[in-house]
Every structure is written in structure tokens, then in C-alpha cells.
């Protein structure tokens, strides 16, 4: 069990059992296809959990994460980029759909570098997506567009 005491402005805060705090972020990145808003970050001693609200502004299905393609999501921290340790579900949006997802990254609370951005590295706007694609090549061949977008956290 871990116990930490940290100072927030004038107050001392006691954090027990790995939980270190909550940050309301409300950081936004938007283009013609997507609106991505990083709502918040929960800090634990060995990881950070981000709550991210995503809106598909297209008339096509959009795939941001399905686990088939490598390096789909990254957390940038200084010169380091980390892949998520846990993504609760595939991040696939129907036309016009808005959903909130939680993404967990390994990140120690006492590391000196702060998390600077979340990168959705291989966003696919799909012409035809079944969810049964067997390879990265097969999935990318069905995409109208493949691109990346970054959301600054600072």
C-alpha cells in the first residue's frame, strides 16, 4: 500500500493506495472529420487514465483503435512515446456518433517529464469496415483516408 502527501497551493493532500489525483483537462483538437476532447486525467502512482470524448463528423465509419494496426494511440512525454497499456474497447464510431472512451497509459507519478500530448496515429475513415479484417493491409486498403491527429495536454 502506498501513501503520498502532496502540496496543492496552500493545502496538503493525502493520497492513499496508489491514487494520486484528478485533473480536469478539457483539451480539444478538431478537424473536418473528428472532434476529440481529452476531458480528464486520473493519476495513479504507476499509470494515468484519460477520459476522451470523440465525435465522428463524417458520413462514414471511423476507426481510431481496433488493435489490428500497431501504434494506433501514443502518449508523448518528453522524447518518450508510450503505447496504451489498456484500452477498454475498440474506438470505432458510426457516422455522427459521439462516445467517451477511457485509455490507460503506464506512467509513474514521480517521473520528471510531464505528458505533453496524446497522438491518434492511424485514424481510418472507412469505405467498408466489417470488423473482421485479418491484417493491417486489408483494413488500410478499405480506408478512404488514413491520417493522424494530436491533442496537446498542456
Amino acid at each position: 500500500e502506498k501513501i503520498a502527501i502532496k502540496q496543492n497551493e496552500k493545502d496538503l493532500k493525502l493520497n492513499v493506495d496508489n491514487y494520486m489525483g484528478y485533473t480536469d483537462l478539457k483539451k480539444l483538437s478538431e478537424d473536418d472529420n473528428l472532434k476529440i476532447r481529452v476531458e480528464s486525467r486520473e493519476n495513479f502512482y504507476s499509470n494515468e487514465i484519460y477520459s476522451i470524448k470523440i465525435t465522428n463528423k463524417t458520413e462514414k465509419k471511423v476507426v481510431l483503435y481496433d488493435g489490428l494496426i500497431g501504434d494506433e494511440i501514443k502518449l508523448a512525454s518528453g522524447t518518450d512515446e508510450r503505447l496504451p497499456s489498456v484500452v477498454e474497447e475498440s474506438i470505432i464510431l458510426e457516422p455522427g456518433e459521439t462516445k467517451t472512451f477511457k485509455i490507460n497509459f503506464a506512467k509513474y507519478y514521480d517521473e520528471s517529464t510531464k505528458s505533453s500530448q496524446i497522438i491518434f496515429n492511424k485514424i481510418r475513415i472507412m469505405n467498408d469496415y466489417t470488423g473482421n479484417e485479418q491484417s493491417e493491409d486489408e483494413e488500410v486498403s478499405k480506408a478512404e483516408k488514413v491520417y493522424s491527429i494530436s491533442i496537446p495536454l498542456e
Side-chain angles (χ1 to χ4, degrees), residues 111-134:
E111 287 180 27
S112 60
T113 56
K114 301 290 182 204
S115 301
S116 58
Q117 63 182 338
I118 293 177
I119 304 161
F120 287 91
N121 197 37
K122 295 179 181 171
I123 298 168
R124 281 95 64 207
I125 299 172
M126 303 301 292
N127 288 319
D128 179 35
Y129 180 79
T130 63
N132 296 321
E133 287 75 13
Q134 298 299 311

Side-chain angles (χ1 to χ4, degrees), residues 8-64:
N8 286 353
E9 298 171 21
K10 299 183 286 185
D11 301 326
L12 289 177
K13 302 276 183 171
L14 177 65
N15 298 309
V16 179
D17 195 28
N18 221 9
Y19 186 76
M20 303 304 279
Y22 174 91
T23 306
D24 193 32
L25 294 169
K26 307 290 190 241
K27 300 295 183 178
L28 179 68
S29 189
E30 186 171 8
D31 63 15
D32 291 340
N33 305 308
L34 295 169
K35 179 178 180 180
I36 302 175
R37 184 167 142 158
V38 179
E39 299 285 349
S40 63
R41 174 181 57 225
E42 285 187 274
N43 293 88
F44 294 84
Y45 181 74
S46 60
N47 63 306
E48 296 177 339
I49 301 173
Y50 289 87
S51 178
I52 303 172
K53 184 177 181 180
I54 306 171
T55 300
N56 177 359
K57 296 166 48 177
T58 74
E59 297 300 317
K60 301 195 180 232
K61 192 175 282 191
V62 175
V63 179
L64 290 94

Side-chain angles (χ1 to χ4, degrees), residues 78-110:
T79 58
D80 185 30
E81 289 185 344
R82 299 175 189 199
L83 300 176
S85 52
V86 177
V87 180
E88 289 183 347
E89 61 184 294
S90 293
I91 303 176
I92 301 166
L93 296 165
E94 297 293 332
E97 183 177 24
T98 298
K99 284 178 79 174
T100 301
F101 301 90
K102 291 201 181 281
I103 303 173
N104 187 328
F105 293 94
K107 176 99 172 65
Y108 287 95
Y109 185 76
D110 55 3

